[in-house]
Amino acid sequence: MTFKANILTLFPEMFEALKHSITGRAIGEGKLALNLINIRDFAEGNYKAVDDAPYGGGAGQVMRADVLGRAIDSVGGAAPIFYLSPRGEKFSQKMAEEWARLGEATFICGHYEGIDERVLEYYGAREISLGDFVVSGGEVAILPMLDAVSRLVDGVLGAKESLDDESFSASLDGGLEYPQYTRPEEWRGLRVPEVLTSGHHKNIEKWRREKSEELTAERRPDLKDFK
């Protein structure tokens, strides 16, 4: 299984960051495919302008519909289109799972004051947000999203069990992951909880479940799927 991301961007070099660690391995094994499309290649004229002043006045520039349209059309196919925008629905683990099952998707990375609204209307693009804050471009937002998706593609993490008991996973009812410990058993006067060194697997499982519930109730009571 492979997830192919068609990425429309003004800065394709920013995606070099994905060529390392787990995502780098996924790319090397052909499980994550990046199709980087430079939007400026579809601009016309001597200056290759991709933006213009907004109708109605105001500060900043808006990315042009004609340029973006040509870039999107170059991808072809029927892959769903997503636009990284602070107006969009918030990205989540559930959404990452949904994207991983798609197999292919197209992403528009905006800049300046955003993109011409007609692009969203014409292509039926779905707006997605990384969170309630504004960054300088869609590239910054899509990087962690692609990392989250690539981990869910079959074979990327090796054993499927690697995804169990992670924060937001079904095995934890959408709650937060329990605390983790490793050697040394004692560090600066702080010891690993005794139950984790007991070898009693049922007690360990019970402790982890309780800690997950405590952390979720304390730090993220907003998690709707938590039980």
Side-chain angles (χ1 to χ4, degrees):
M1 180 179 177
T2 298
F3 179 77
K4 180 181 179 182
N6 305 305
I7 304 170
L8 280 68
T9 173
L10 290 172
F11 302 98
E13 62 274 12
M14 291 184 69
F15 293 89
E16 288 292 315
L18 291 176
K19 295 182 179 180
H20 304 278
S21 190
I22 291 172
T23 50
R25 187 169 73 239
I27 292 171
E29 295 175 353
K31 298 182 186 300
L32 174 62
L34 302 181
N35 178 24
L36 300 175
I37 297 131
N38 192 327
I39 297 169
R40 201 172 295 279
D41 290 342
F42 298 88
E44 299 175 338
N46 294 333
Y47 296 103
K48 294 286 186 180
V50 298
D51 59 307
D52 210 327
Y55 278 117
Q61 299 284 97
V62 177
M63 294 182 71
R64 294 172 50 140
D66 54 347
V67 178
L68 280 171
R70 288 192 289 269
I72 295 170
D73 291 344
S74 74
V75 175
I81 298 174
F82 300 96
Y83 170 53
L84 288 306
S85 163
R87 300 189 320 191
E89 58 188 293
K90 285 187 184 179
F91 183 74
S92 65
Q93 186 70 14
K94 185 176 181 180
M95 195 178 295
E97 293 168 357
E98 173 190 319
W99 287 4
R101 290 192 294 269
L102 288 175
E104 181 179 358
T106 296
F107 302 94
I108 304 172
C109 297
H111 269 272
Y112 315 119
E113 291 302 309
I115 70 176
D116 191 303
E117 189 75 15
R118 290 171 292 182
V119 173
L120 305 178
E121 181 182 347
Y122 183 86
Y123 291 99
R126 181 175 165 191
E127 296 184 71
I128 305 296
S129 171
L130 185 60
D132 293 337
F133 52 92
V134 178
V135 293
S136 58
E139 293 83 3
V140 177
I142 192 60
L143 287 172
M145 295 181 188
L146 290 177
D147 184 285
V149 172
S150 67
R151 304 174 76 257
L152 298 170
V153 176
D154 288 345
V156 170
L157 290 184
K160 188 178 179 182
E161 291 76 15
S162 299
L163 294 171
D164 291 343
D165 287 1
E166 287 191 323
S167 290
F168 318 116
S169 65
S171 60
L172 294 178
D173 293 327
L176 300 180
E177 187 176 354
Y178 44 77
Q180 297 279 14
Y181 299 86
T182 188
R183 293 185 178 127
E185 191 172 330
E186 182 177 350
W187 176 75
R188 298 186 179 180
L190 300 172
R191 296 188 61 82
V192 174
E194 188 174 344
V195 63
L196 298 180
T197 61
S198 68
H200 196 300
H201 296 297
K202 184 170 283 189
N203 287 348
I204 291 173
E205 184 178 345
K206 181 174 180 290
W207 180 88
R208 285 175 168 170
R209 184 68 185 190
E210 290 173 349
K211 288 299 178 182
S212 172
E213 292 175 355
E214 289 174 10
L215 283 170
T216 305
E218 175 188 342
R219 302 183 186 183
R220 290 295 305 277
D222 59 303
L223 291 174
K224 296 178 181 179
D225 292 334
F226 181 68
K227 298 177 182 178

